[in-house]
């Protein structure tokens, strides 16, 4: 197993683009089929809790409840399609919900978990108990940035290892590594920003929530060999195509990758109508075809058998559909290098950005783009 990314004490090993990501021989590769599940589960928000003790109890309850759902899904699906469940993606902030007016100190105390300790150990135990690769999205503190919390996608392995940690890069109101960019790179290095981990079930990378709308996030992982894009999200459910749903298909097609996207089955415990974020969990193949999609409510219906061998064969074929091999990157480089949209180091002092300040900074970017003629 090789990995690139933000892992305390873990060695980083490079993944080459399009390398296929496996040391298995051809005979072993032919058996690389397994079930992946985007588990659509209810989020019981901790906004309703008055103390960290109460919110932590609610979070522990969520861990126990979802562990049971994963185990039941695994047993049922094995009997249903004959393939082992090996990959589970959970929705965005499935243990806590999102801040709704809480101060940074309050939200950090009741909803953000440390990188090490009882909560991450419990999440790793979930993966170990079920014998799956588990992707969790949650709020996380970092001793290097005590004034902040990050929204993190963390992949835990079936033996209880922490395999990958990705911090959401694009966030209007919540902190991101880009807000403290220079210090973040000094501490963790560039490889920690868009990590990919190579496993027995393929090369895995993650995308957080609305970042599915930004092609560059997925592309950075594809350049490191990512084959399966894991997407925890909590988004508006709709019977029609939404921008995010369209983007999921686009990211699969343009990166020749599977996308496993898990949405919430509603969020309870807040004034927002509970079913506003419900439905649309989906598993897509590299042509953007829907392999499985969930309706509303708590469900394991967004599950599908992934064929890693077929994906790797497709990535190695010549022809017009091999979009990755045809990218003229040198033609794009000047435009990326010569333009600045959102500036880095929004809060270089490591403080939490205030909502009004975030909008003021965004308006300044828009004004600059208008002056430059980029926006009319």
């Amino acid at each position: 197993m090789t990995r690139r990314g933000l892992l305390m004490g873990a060695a980083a090993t490079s993944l080459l683009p399009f390398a296929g990501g496996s040391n298995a021989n051809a005979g072993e590769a032919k058996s690389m089929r397994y079930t992946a599940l985007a588990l659509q589960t209810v989020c019981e928000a901790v906004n309703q809790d008055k103390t960290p003790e109460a919110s932590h109890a609610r979070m522990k309850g969520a861990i126990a409840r979802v562990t049971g759902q994963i185990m039941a899904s695994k047993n049922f699906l094995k009997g249903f399609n004959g393939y082992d469940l090996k990959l589970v993606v959970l929705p965005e902030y499935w243990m806590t919900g999102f801040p709704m007016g809480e101060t940074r100190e309050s939200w950090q105390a009741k909803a953000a978990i440390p990188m090490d300790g009882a909560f991450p150990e419990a999440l790793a135990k979930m993966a170990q108990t079920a014998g799956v690769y588990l992707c969790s999205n949650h709020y996380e503190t970092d001793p290097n940035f005590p004034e902040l919390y990050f929204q993190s996608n963390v992949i835990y392995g079936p033996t209880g290892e922490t395999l990958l940690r990705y911090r959401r890069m694009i966030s209007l109101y919540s902190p991101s590594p880009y807000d403290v960019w220079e210090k973040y790179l000094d501490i963790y290095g560039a490889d920690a920003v868009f990590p990919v981990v190579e496993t027995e079930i393929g090369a895995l990378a993650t995308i957080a929530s609305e970042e599915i709308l930004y092609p560059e996030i997925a592309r950075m992982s594809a350049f490191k060999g990512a084959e399966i894009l894991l997407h925890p999200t909590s988004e508006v459910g709709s019977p029609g195509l939404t921008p995010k749903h369209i983007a999921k298909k686009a990211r699969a097609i343009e990166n020749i990758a599977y996308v496993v996207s898990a949405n919430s089955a509603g969020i309870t415990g807040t004034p927002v109508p509970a079913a506003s974020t419900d439905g649309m969990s989906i598993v897509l193949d590299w042509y953007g075809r829907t392999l499985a999609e969930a309706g509303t409510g708590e469900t394991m219906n967004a599950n599908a058998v992934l064929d890693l061998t077929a994906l790797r064969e497709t990535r190695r074929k010549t022809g017009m559909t091999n979009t990755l091999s045809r990218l003229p990157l040198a033609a794009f480089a000047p435009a990326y290098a010569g333009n600045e949209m959102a500036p880095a180091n929004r809060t270089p002092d490591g403080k939490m950005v205030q909502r009004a300040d975030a909008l003021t900074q965004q308006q300044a970017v828009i004004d600059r783009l208008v002056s430059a003629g980029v926006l009319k």
Side-chain angles (χ1 to χ4, degrees):
M1 181 182 298
T2 57
R3 66 195 82 175
R4 289 177 71 98
L6 197 163
L7 291 172
M8 301 304 239
T13 305
S14 177
L15 286 175
L16 297 177
F18 325 140
S22 175
N23 294 322
N25 61 39
E28 292 172 327
K30 290 181 180 178
S31 65
M32 285 307 298
R33 296 185 181 90
Y34 61 89
T35 299
L37 169 63
L39 183 63
Q40 191 166 287
T41 187
V42 166
C43 169
E44 295 183 8
V46 301
N47 309 83
Q48 59 194 304
D49 296 316
K50 304 302 182 184
T51 65
E53 291 76 17
S55 65
H56 291 173
R58 189 178 302 279
M59 292 161 66
K60 291 175 183 176
I63 291 173
R65 173 175 56 84
V66 172
T67 299
Q69 292 178 339
I70 294 172
M71 293 301 299
S73 300
K74 180 174 183 176
N75 293 333
F76 180 88
L77 292 172
K78 175 67 172 180
F80 179 72
N81 63 24
Y83 289 95
D84 289 328
L85 176 63
K86 293 189 177 183
L87 175 62
V88 178
V89 180
L90 300 179
E92 183 183 15
Y93 40 65
W94 61 278
M95 284 190 293
T96 63
F98 58 94
M100 296 183 66
E102 287 91 349
T103 64
R104 187 271 302 171
E105 294 84 1
S106 173
W107 191 252
Q108 190 178 68
K110 70 180 184 179
I113 69 174
M115 297 171 69
D116 299 296
F119 270 109
E121 288 172 5
L123 298 179
K125 185 66 174 178
M126 291 176 70
Q128 188 174 24
T129 298
V132 299
Y133 291 87
L134 178 70
C135 180
S136 171
N137 174 284
H138 49 258
Y139 292 99
E140 184 178 63
T141 58
D142 185 326
N144 293 299
F145 301 94
E147 296 294 316
L148 305 178
Y149 55 79
F150 296 105
Q151 192 183 101
S152 297
N153 289 345
V154 182
I155 299 177
Y156 302 95
T159 60
E161 299 174 85
T162 301
L163 301 179
L164 177 149
R165 173 176 280 107
Y166 167 72
R167 265 78 180 268
R168 178 172 170 173
M169 279 292 296
I170 301 174
S171 182
L172 184 57
Y173 302 120
S174 295
S176 90
Y178 201 57
D179 295 335
V180 287
W181 190 233
E182 291 182 7
K183 182 178 179 181
Y184 200 88
L185 291 179
D186 285 343
I187 294 171
Y188 292 119
D191 283 343
V193 179
F194 299 107
V196 172
V197 62
E198 185 178 8
T199 74
E200 64 178 354
I201 65 168
L204 309 178
T206 71
I207 304 169
S209 186
E210 69 160 349
E211 289 186 328
I212 199 72
L213 296 172
Y214 297 84
E216 292 83 357
I217 299 291
R219 188 72 91 196
M220 294 303 99
S221 298
F223 285 165
K224 294 183 179 180
E227 299 170 309
I228 305 163
L229 303 175
L230 314 184
H231 179 228
T233 186
S234 187
E235 62 190 62
V236 172
S238 170
L241 282 175
T242 64
K244 288 184 181 179
H245 225 47
I246 293 169
K248 295 169 195 177
K249 292 177 177 290
R251 302 297 84 82
I253 296 167
E254 66 200 10
N255 294 297
I256 316 179
Y258 283 110
V259 170
V260 183
S261 176
N263 194 22
S264 305
I267 302 178
T268 64
T270 78
V272 177
S276 299
T277 57
D278 189 3
M280 301 177 74
S281 296
I282 195 167
V283 181
L284 297 163
D285 75 1
W286 56 90
Y287 291 119
R289 295 177 299 200
T290 300
L291 302 181
E293 184 172 1
T296 57
E298 290 200 305
T299 177
M300 62 178 179
N301 288 352
N303 74 84
V305 175
L306 306 191
D307 188 337
L308 195 59
T309 306
L311 171 64
R312 290 173 175 174
E313 289 177 350
T314 300
R315 282 184 157 198
R316 291 172 180 268
K317 288 181 178 178
T318 58
M320 294 179 65
T321 59
N322 195 326
T323 52
L324 280 173
S325 66
R326 301 173 63 209
L327 280 169
L329 294 183
F332 304 152
Y336 274 94
N339 284 289
E340 182 182 62
M341 301 300 184
N345 299 301
R346 183 169 65 168
T347 56
D349 58 356
K351 301 290 186 180
M352 184 83 170
V353 65
Q354 300 300 310
R355 190 180 184 92
D357 292 336
L359 294 177
T360 299
Q361 291 170 346
Q362 185 185 28
Q363 185 62 58
V365 174
I366 294 171
D367 292 343
R368 176 165 49 79
L369 294 176
V370 171
S371 297
V374 177
L375 302 180
K376 307 300 182 188

